[in-house]
Amino acid sequence: MTSRSLPVPPDPVAPRRRTVVKAAAAGAVLAAPLLAPSAARAAEAPAFLHGVASGDPLPDGVLLWTRLTPTAEAEPGSGKGPDTQVSWEIAEDSAFRTVVGRGTTTASAASDHTVKADVRGLRPASAYYFRFFVGDPSAPSATPTYSPVGRTRTAPAADSRANLRFGVVSCANWEAGWFSSYRHLAARADLDAVLHLGDYIYEYKTGEYPDAKYTVRQHRPAHEIVSLADYRIRHGLHKTDDDVRAMHAAHPIVAIWDDHEFANDAWSGGAENHSPDTEGSWAARQQAAKQAYFEWMPVRPSVAGTVYRRLRFGALADLHLLDLRTFRSQQAGVGSGAVDSADRTITGRAQLDWLKSGLAASDAQWKLVGTSVMISPVAFGSLPAHLLGPLAELLGLPQEGLAINVDQWDGYTHDRKELIAHLRDHGIRDTVFLTGDIHMAWANDVPVTAGTYPLSPSAATEFVVTSVTSDNLDDILHVAPDTVSTVAEGAIKAANRHVKWLDMDSHGYGVLDVTAERAQMDYYVISDRADKNATSAWERSYRTRTGTQKVERVQTPVL
């Protein structure tokens, strides 16, 4: 393990939901300036009201981000405000005594006054501090306006075998609760990056999801977001959240989108939550959502303006990131044989070929695949009727006859079979899928043939993280955790023997620790999504050891 300041670990034998994860001193010092009351942000423009962020780390560089409010009326989505020169600098120390890079860019209404700097020439596996400012600090009587200071980290050198550690999150619904998971990740000083697997924002109107009587806080705009201005406003709102700002200021993020960055159950030609008659063309809405996403997220657009791309973290891991919304066919009807059709795709031909060739060519020990929806097959049909209904509501599917979740890879079995066959035929080992979307935590083997598993082999493994705030089973039913879910979890595992564990009740995040010998996911849960000061507790850990293609339980988190 490379030498870093580590947080005090949780007590591995304490009951779930009780052990408080103690912050590392370095992380706490960095995050502290960002946790001031919101009223402190009401400074006169120009101002950096939305914090700073970094992302997509490379061995020699990283992408820096901020948003300037040049004048009071230049709010997100307003289209108002003058073009303004913004400077940036990156240094080896938080006092900026050893500056290693500087530059200028322009914040304009055309990009909603967001700015990015793609910095190169940095050392691998190194921490850096960065900030933005307006004005000339060297001018007489200068009073430049500075952004908060962010900390980032470059990726390891291409041949490095140093251990890696990532925070992993998904599904952060503003109205459902506070983003405490982000705060706990921000307080850690031992992460190489945070992997966000989608649903960074939600598109619904206020009070629609969750129901208004369970809404913790209201988002803006109040209506369902459809236009470019709407998506900009919603993104901007999220980056006023203290915990969002703290996470982005503490770690580089690697992000992909799922459906709610667009609309529920999005596919290439539409979405379940889109009506052309009242909301206009899907193409226009999709383009607006993508533009706002790339403006507001520290993400490099890749092929055809999507998020599928590949990042290397030394010789230890290649990270393949997927876009499972832009190219997919419309979801098939539940119970329809269309799920097996070769004419239907979740990835699109070009992306699937790109993934297959990248996996085959990779010389990294671990092939990590960021996928927004679960690839492991899961049959829900054996569940009792009183549980099928709530699960169908949770997954956004019909309330009767539910056998599979057709929004996942289960609805696109031909692509999954082709990918798994590719892994087997080319002897590609140590592939780990990292997944969000389903608002539950899972640890799965990915079987070649689910019906005969474990007699048939496992081709890969999958770790699924639960939601930051979005509804779980106990939220849907409004019952205590570990009551109704116990029956459901047992029935699902009995019908799906490759599923080694699942938690249908909690909210939280994962920490993935990768060494040459194993990849281990430590699952953490927060005490209460409705509590702004929620604590964090270690819940479970699973690992896959190199060469096994199987997950196994571990009794303690990585310390």
Side-chain angles (χ1 to χ4, degrees):
M1 186 77 181
T2 52
S3 176
R4 301 181 202 163
S5 174
L6 299 179
V8 177
D11 178 358
V13 298
R16 57 183 285 187
R17 296 183 175 85
R18 287 200 213 163
T19 306
V20 178
V21 176
K22 300 178 181 178
V29 169
L30 178 63
L34 300 179
L35 302 181
S38 297
R41 300 187 196 140
E44 294 183 3
F48 295 93
L49 304 180
H50 299 89
V52 296
S54 66
D56 282 4
L58 304 173
D60 68 339
V62 70
L63 189 68
L64 308 181
W65 175 95
T66 194
R67 199 266 179 181
L68 176 71
T69 302
T71 55
E73 72 271 18
E75 296 181 348
S78 67
K80 299 178 180 179
D83 289 2
T84 306
Q85 181 173 288
V86 177
S87 300
W88 59 267
E89 54 187 0
I90 188 166
E92 295 179 351
D93 62 299
S94 58
F96 290 84
R97 294 187 182 93
T98 309
V99 175
V100 297
R102 290 188 175 95
T104 60
T105 185
T106 300
S108 69
S111 60
D112 208 21
H113 288 98
T114 63
V115 295
K116 293 180 180 180
D118 200 344
V119 182
R120 301 298 172 93
L122 305 178
R123 299 192 315 272
S126 299
Y128 290 94
Y129 297 84
F130 66 96
R131 64 186 177 185
F132 295 82
F133 60 93
V134 174
D136 183 359
S138 64
S141 305
T143 54
T145 299
Y146 284 95
S147 73
V149 174
R151 178 186 180 276
T152 191
R153 185 175 181 84
T154 52
D159 58 351
S160 170
R161 299 193 67 81
N163 297 354
L164 299 166
R165 190 171 292 172
F166 302 99
V168 189
V169 286
S170 176
C171 303
N173 186 335
W174 178 278
E175 296 211 328
W178 299 97
F179 298 155
S180 300
S181 293
Y182 294 165
R183 171 168 47 88
H184 289 287
L185 286 171
R188 298 185 66 125
D190 61 334
L191 301 180
D192 291 277
V194 172
L195 177 59
H196 201 296
L197 294 167
D199 294 345
Y200 185 94
I201 64 169
Y202 278 72
E203 84 282 10
Y204 296 114
K205 67 180 181 182
T206 190
E208 182 173 358
Y209 176 67
D211 186 88
K213 64 181 176 180
Y214 300 109
T215 295
V216 174
R217 51 181 177 165
Q218 290 190 346
H219 55 215
R220 291 186 291 108
H223 58 265
E224 183 179 327
I225 55 176
V226 176
S227 69
L228 176 58
D230 292 341
Y231 283 101
R232 285 171 163 175
I233 293 168
R234 190 69 58 87
H235 273 283
L237 175 66
H238 277 63
K239 285 191 170 62
T240 64
D241 179 89
D242 289 329
D243 297 334
V244 171
R245 286 160 48 95
M247 178 184 69
H248 280 299
H251 308 295
I253 193 170
V254 177
I256 56 176
W257 56 48
D258 194 27
D259 53 339
H260 292 291
E261 284 88 352
F262 303 93
N264 184 54
D265 285 359
W267 57 285
S268 60
E272 178 275 334
N273 194 29
H274 179 76
S275 173
D277 292 339
T278 58
E279 295 172 329
S281 80
W282 172 250
R285 183 175 183 177
Q286 184 187 57
Q287 181 56 39
K290 287 185 176 183
Q291 180 175 335
Y293 185 89
F294 285 123
E295 289 171 347
W296 281 89
M297 297 292 287
V299 170
R300 292 186 187 91
S302 59
V303 179
T306 80
V307 292
Y308 83 78
R309 62 202 189 281
R310 187 175 294 113
L311 296 173
R312 185 174 179 88
F313 289 86
L316 197 60
D318 279 338
L319 176 57
H320 312 260
L321 300 155
L322 303 186
D323 175 357
L324 300 184
R325 295 296 166 182
T326 299
F327 310 104
R328 73 156 68 196
S329 308
Q330 186 172 10
Q331 294 83 351
V334 175
S336 167
V339 298
D340 298 324
S341 172
D343 295 329
R344 303 183 64 259
T345 181
I346 190 172
T347 61
R349 183 73 259 164
Q351 184 177 196
L352 186 57
D353 288 343
W354 167 87
L355 176 60
K356 289 166 59 180
S357 63
L359 291 170
S362 175
D363 61 354
Q365 175 71 58
W366 295 96
K367 277 65 71 175
L368 308 178
V369 183
T371 172
S372 58
V373 296
M374 191 151 63
I375 192 169
S376 301
V378 180
F380 296 95
S382 61
L383 286 177
H386 71 283
L387 292 177
L388 270 178
L391 272 176
E393 181 181 351
L394 173 63
L395 300 173
L397 296 173
Q399 298 269 331
E400 297 179 0
L402 175 63
I404 58 172
N405 181 350
V406 294
D407 191 55
Q408 298 178 172
W409 288 74
D410 273 333
Y412 305 85
T413 62
H414 190 272
D415 278 1
R416 181 172 62 196
K417 288 176 182 176
E418 181 176 335
L419 180 56
I420 290 175
H422 179 75
L423 297 178
R424 295 287 294 170
D425 294 346
H426 290 78
I428 301 171
R429 307 171 75 82
D430 300 334
T431 301
V432 181
F433 292 91
L434 304 170
T435 309
D437 176 68
I438 201 170
H439 309 173
M440 311 171 199
W442 304 65
N444 305 325
D445 296 342
V446 181
V448 174
T449 307
T452 58
Y453 186 85
L455 296 178
S456 66
S458 176
T461 53
E462 181 174 33
F463 297 125
V464 185
V465 294
T466 187
S467 64
V468 172
T469 60
S470 301
D471 280 359
N472 288 326
L473 184 61
D474 60 329
D475 301 323
I476 292 289
L477 294 173
H478 306 294
V479 298
D482 303 319
T483 53
V484 175
S485 63
T486 302
V487 177
E489 290 165 358
I492 288 174
K493 287 192 290 184
N496 303 272
R497 288 173 289 179
H498 55 283
V499 175
K500 304 305 179 182
W501 175 72
L502 71 157
D503 174 1
M504 308 179 83
D505 291 329
S506 302
H507 301 282
Y509 57 95
V511 175
L512 179 73
D513 191 88
V514 185
T515 71
E517 293 75 29
R518 55 100 186 106
Q520 177 169 323
M521 182 70 84
D522 298 330
Y523 295 88
Y524 290 85
V525 298
I526 60 167
S527 55
D528 183 358
R529 65 177 176 166
D531 180 2
K532 195 176 191 303
N533 300 309
T535 57
S536 173
W538 171 74
E539 181 183 28
R540 284 258 186 141
S541 292
Y542 282 83
R543 70 182 177 192
T544 175
R545 289 185 290 177
T546 182
T548 66
Q549 282 64 251
K550 292 185 177 182
V551 298
E552 61 184 16
R553 187 176 178 183
V554 185
Q555 296 302 319
T556 59
V558 177
L559 304 180

